[in-house]
């Protein structure tokens, strides 16, 4: 199987970063994105632009997906891509979906003679472009082994977790923690400003303290500079991931009351019209 020629479908912030990294790593890419203009820089870098998902997938044995939610995955993968794939082809799916849906997709693909590697990526678009993502993988170990060079190109760490759905669970858990940290820092900043502290000095002190983290320092800088566009991780995607995660937890018998409250904070940001901005914009909605 020729893994040096890949199809890549979905060129949002993360997808575009991963695609650039793969091109830089010597892979040939056929790409598709609903908004074709986003593929321009990749085409200039050597990628071939397809007119449709099926055209992108046709003739390829390995297809990578980076799509926004389960509905889009269903429409693109099963409605457009699967009919164009030869039996035995392998879908590497980096989309963030629910664990239950991840298991369902693996079963539906297997029924059609296709394979799926669940490759959940953690990091930001800059890390994607640098090949510095953490990649959590689920599925058959032999399938992962076939595309391991691809995963090693986009990630500095690749970890196989087990059966379908486990990588998705790990990604969702990390995003729950991300959302909680960003929202709690936003509320702390709002309180500090109300208490008469200088906003910039307060944010700097938080980011330099022992209570901080890599995530908090990164988001603190965005809050300090009111720099929310272009988004590193959109507020509406944060809300979606937290909603998916808390729903999966309920199916396991867990309520997650703290994290449900955090999800509601991001839902309010989306309702206010700031969903396309970076999740750190929640600080502007915490007064």
């Amino acid at each position: 199987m020729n893994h040096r020629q890949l199809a890549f479908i979905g060129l949002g912030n993360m997808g575009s970063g991963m695609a650039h990294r793969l091109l830089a790593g010597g892979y040939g890419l056929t790409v598709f994105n609903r908004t074709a203009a986003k593929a321009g820089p990749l085409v200039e870098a050597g990628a071939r632009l397809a007119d449709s998902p099926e055209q992108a997938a046709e003739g390829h044995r390995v297809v990578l997906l980076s799509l926004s939610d389960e509905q889009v995955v269903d429409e693109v993968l099963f409605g457009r891509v699967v009919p164009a794939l030869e039996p035995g082809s392998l879908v590497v799916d980096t989309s963030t979906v629910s664990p239950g849906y991840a298991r369902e997709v693996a079963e539906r693909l297997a029924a059609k003679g296709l394979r799926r590697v669940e490759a959940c990526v953690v990091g930001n678009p800059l890390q994607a472009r640098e090949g510095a993502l953490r990649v959590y993988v689920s599925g058959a170990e032999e399938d992962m082994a076939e595309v391991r060079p691809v995963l090693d190109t986009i990630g500095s760490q690749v970890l196989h977790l087990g059966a379908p759905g486990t990588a998705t669970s790990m990604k969702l858990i990390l995003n729950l923690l991300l959302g909680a940290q960003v929202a709690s820092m936003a509320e702390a900043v709002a309180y500090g400003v109300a208490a008469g502290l200088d906003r910039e000095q307060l944010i700097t002190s938080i980011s330099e303290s022992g209570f901080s983290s890599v995530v908090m320092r990164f988001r603190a800088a965005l809050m300090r500079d009111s720099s929310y566009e272009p988004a590193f991780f959109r507020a509406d995607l944060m809300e979606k991931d937290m909603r998916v995660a808390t729903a999966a937890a309920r199916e396991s018998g867990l309520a997650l009351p703290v994290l449900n409250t955090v999800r509601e904070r991001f839902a309010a940001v989306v309702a206010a019209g700031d969903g396309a901005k970076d999740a750190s914009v929640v600080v502007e909605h915490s007064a």
Side-chain angles (χ1 to χ4, degrees):
M1 186 181 293
N2 181 7
H3 292 315
R4 302 303 298 182
Q5 297 294 323
L6 310 170
F8 203 114
I9 298 171
L11 303 173
N13 287 345
M14 293 296 287
S16 178
M18 288 186 280
H20 274 288
R21 178 63 182 175
L22 289 166
L23 280 174
Y27 287 90
L29 290 188
T30 301
V31 301
F32 172 80
N33 192 65
R34 183 175 55 185
T35 305
K38 288 187 177 181
L42 285 162
V43 173
E44 291 177 8
R48 184 170 74 89
L49 179 63
D51 293 329
S52 65
E54 50 267 48
Q55 187 185 75
E58 188 175 0
H60 291 88
R61 299 283 284 177
V62 179
V63 178
L64 287 92
L65 301 181
S66 179
L67 302 173
S68 58
D69 57 36
E70 293 177 12
Q71 180 179 343
V72 177
V73 171
D74 223 65
E75 292 172 357
V76 172
L77 179 57
F78 291 101
R80 312 289 293 275
V81 172
V82 165
L85 293 178
E86 295 294 326
S89 296
L90 207 158
V91 176
V92 179
D93 195 352
T94 70
S95 312
T96 303
V97 296
S98 70
Y101 183 72
R103 291 188 289 270
E104 176 190 325
V105 171
E107 292 171 0
R108 289 167 66 185
L109 288 176
K112 295 180 179 293
L114 302 169
R115 298 173 294 157
R116 179 180 187 267
V117 167
E118 184 177 319
C120 296
V121 296
V122 175
N124 61 47
L126 296 177
Q127 291 170 318
R129 194 153 183 161
E130 295 167 357
L133 298 172
R134 280 170 290 153
V135 186
Y136 296 106
V137 183
S138 294
E141 288 193 46
E142 58 269 27
D143 293 341
M144 172 187 163
E146 284 192 27
V147 292
R148 182 63 189 253
V150 174
L151 302 177
D152 283 336
T153 300
I154 63 173
S156 57
Q157 178 192 42
V158 178
L159 182 63
H160 185 263
L161 296 178
T166 53
T168 297
S169 295
M170 177 70 83
K171 169 70 180 286
L172 290 173
I173 288 165
L174 294 175
N175 278 356
L176 284 173
L177 291 171
L178 170 61
Q181 287 189 65
V182 174
S184 62
M185 180 165 60
E187 291 193 359
V189 168
Y191 164 60
V193 171
L197 295 170
D198 177 78
R199 185 178 187 275
E200 182 174 342
Q201 186 179 61
L202 169 61
I203 293 175
T204 299
S205 295
I206 291 172
S207 67
E208 293 177 349
S209 75
F211 300 100
S212 187
S213 66
V214 173
V215 164
M216 287 182 70
R217 284 191 294 274
F218 185 78
R219 252 65 200 193
L222 300 183
M223 291 179 182
R224 184 183 61 240
D225 300 335
S226 299
S227 177
Y228 310 122
E229 295 178 290
F232 287 90
F233 186 17
R234 287 167 39 170
D236 56 358
L237 294 179
M238 174 73 81
E239 190 280 330
K240 182 268 292 185
D241 286 1
M242 298 197 76
R243 176 166 26 93
V244 169
T246 52
R250 281 195 301 274
E251 292 175 5
S252 299
L254 298 172
L256 306 188
V258 171
L259 294 167
N260 267 304
T261 300
V262 173
R263 185 204 61 76
E264 291 170 1
R265 296 300 307 130
F266 286 103
V269 172
V270 175
D274 277 348
K277 295 180 181 178
D278 190 86
S280 56
V281 75
V282 68
V283 73
E284 308 295 342
H285 298 266
S286 298

